[in-house]
Amino acid sequence: MYGVRSAEQRELAAAVRKLLQERSSEAAVRATMDTTEGYDRELATLMADQMGLHGIAIPEEYGGAGFGFVELSVILEEMGRALLCGPFFSSVVLFAAALLESGDDDACTTWLPRIAAGRLVGTVAFAEDAEGSHEQSIQLAARRDGEHYLLSGRKRHVLDGVLAEAIVVAARLPEGVGLFVVDTALGLRRTAVPTLDRTRRQATLDFEDTPARLLAGPEQGWAVLRRVLDRAAVALACEQAGGAERVLEMAVDYAKTRHQFDRPIGSFQAIKHKCADMLVAVESARSAARCAAEAVAANDPDLELLAGLAKTVCSDAFSLCARDNIQIHGGIGFTWEHPAHLYYKRAKSGEAHFGTPRHHRERMALRAEALPV
C-alpha cells in the first residue's frame, strides 16, 4: 500500500530525526545560513560516514548502500522538517540521479563513489532566462572540440552552484539538447545570488568555452533531464511534506500553551478551523509525496503525472501551513526571532523549484486533453 512505511523505514526516520534535532536545531540553522559556505561540513561528514545517508540510493557498485528512492524520501522528509542547510539535495537528488539516469558507467564510476562518501558537491544546471522547464528553454550552446566539448552561455538558479565541484549541464547541440559534465576546476564564472530562502543557496553560472564531457547525447539528453527533474519534484515534495508537518506541530503546541481571556487560544473556533485545515493539508501532502516516491522506485510509467501532482499538492500544503502557523502565533510569528518565517520562506521559494503548482497543473491539463474520449 502506498505511503505505509516498514519497521526499518520508521527506524531510519527516527535515527535521522534524532541526529537533526541535535545538529540542525533552529540555532544551528540560523548560524549555518549566515556562513560563507552555507552548510555544516562536520554534519555532512557525520551524515555520510556514520549514517551512510549520501549513498543510500546509490548502487553498491558505485560505493553506495543500494537502497531505493523510498528510503531516500524518508530522509528527505526529515530534512524538510529540520530545514537542513547544505548541498545534500543538489548532490544526491540532482547530480547523482543525472549520472545514473544517463547510463554512463565511466561517469558513474568517476563521480558517484565520492558523492556516496560525502566528499564531493555536485549539482545540475538547467534553468536559463526563458520561463519554464521545457526543451526549447535550453539555449546554452555546446560545440565539439576534438574529443571534448566547449560550453558557452549562462545558467540561472543553480542550487549550490558556487560550492559544486562537478556540474551536469544541459546544453544545446545542433542536433538537440545534450547533457554534459563540467569539472568546475576547469573554469567558469560563478556568482552567488541573494535568495528569499537563505537556507538553500543559488548561483548564476557563466560559461565561456568551458571544457565539458558529453554525458548524454541529443538523442537522449532531454529525456534524461526530464526524468531527473520529475524525480527532483518528488524529492522536493517529500521535503515539503516534512516541513508542513513540522509547522503544524508548532502551531498546535502554541495553541495549547498560549492563553487569552483565561483559556488556551486553541479552544477558539477560528484557531480550531485553521489547525483542522492544516491537518488536512499535511495528510494530503504526505499521501501525495509518498505515493509519488513509490512511483519513482517502481519506474511507474505515470511518474510525470504523479510527480506533478505531488509537487502541486505539497507546495500548496506547505505554503498554507507556513502561513497559518504565522497567523496562529500572532505578533510573535512575524518577528525575525521566531522560526516561523524560516519555514514560510522555504515554503514560498520551494513553490518555484522544478515547476510551480500552476506549471504542473497546466501539464496535467494538457495530458488530460490528449486522452481519448
Side-chain angles (χ1 to χ4, degrees), residues 97-164:
L99 296 183
L100 290 168
E101 288 287 342
S102 75
D104 188 318
D105 184 65
D106 288 342
C108 290
T109 302
T110 299
W111 301 105
L112 288 183
R114 295 168 63 191
I115 291 289
R119 302 293 185 267
L120 177 79
V121 175
T123 191
V124 172
F126 61 94
E128 298 185 20
D129 292 331
E131 184 178 352
S133 54
H134 49 85
E135 189 170 2
Q136 294 307 312
S137 69
I138 307 298
Q139 293 298 319
L140 184 141
R143 63 183 178 87
R144 187 152 193 163
D145 181 43
E147 296 182 357
H148 300 280
Y149 290 81
L150 300 178
L151 307 184
S152 296
R154 171 173 289 180
K155 291 293 184 182
R156 297 185 182 275
H157 311 299
V158 182
L159 294 181
D160 300 303
V162 170
L163 287 174

Side-chain angles (χ1 to χ4, degrees), residues 180-334:
F180 303 82
V181 181
V182 172
D183 184 334
T184 58
L186 299 179
L188 70 156
R189 189 165 71 253
R190 302 189 278 183
T191 307
V193 296
T195 57
L196 174 67
D197 175 18
R198 295 172 60 196
T199 66
R200 178 160 275 158
R201 301 295 175 89
Q202 296 183 35
T204 296
L205 307 183
D206 289 291
F207 300 82
E208 299 176 358
D209 284 340
T210 302
R213 176 191 181 282
L214 183 66
L215 182 66
E219 68 282 353
Q220 66 172 132
W222 175 252
V224 169
L225 180 61
R226 188 64 266 167
R227 291 196 298 271
V228 171
L229 295 182
D230 283 339
R231 290 170 61 98
V234 176
L236 185 58
C238 294
E239 270 197 3
Q240 291 171 321
E245 180 181 55
R246 179 66 192 116
V247 292
L248 170 61
E249 293 170 359
M250 292 168 60
V252 171
D253 288 346
Y254 187 77
K256 289 178 180 178
T257 57
R258 172 64 171 163
H259 284 65
Q260 286 288 346
F261 308 108
D262 296 323
R263 54 192 289 196
I265 63 172
S267 65
F268 296 118
Q269 194 79 348
I271 302 298
K272 288 181 181 179
H273 284 171
K274 283 190 179 296
C275 289
D277 289 343
M278 292 169 72
L279 176 61
V280 171
V282 167
E283 293 294 338
S284 298
R286 184 187 294 120
S287 297
R290 293 183 181 180
C291 175
E294 294 275 6
V296 173
N299 290 316
D300 194 308
D302 289 326
L303 175 59
E304 178 183 338
L305 176 64
L306 293 171
L309 178 64
K311 179 59 168 55
T312 298
V313 171
C314 294
S315 290
D316 288 345
F318 193 12
S319 291
L320 179 146
C321 291
R323 180 197 67 211
D324 284 356
N325 182 44
I326 292 175
Q327 293 289 327
I328 289 172
H329 278 82
I332 192 175
F334 287 88

Side-chain angles (χ1 to χ4, degrees), residues 66-82:
F67 289 96
F69 193 89
V70 173
E71 287 74 24
L72 178 59
S73 74
V74 171
I75 296 169
L76 291 167
E77 277 193 37
E78 296 304 322
M79 290 179 173
R81 285 178 57 92

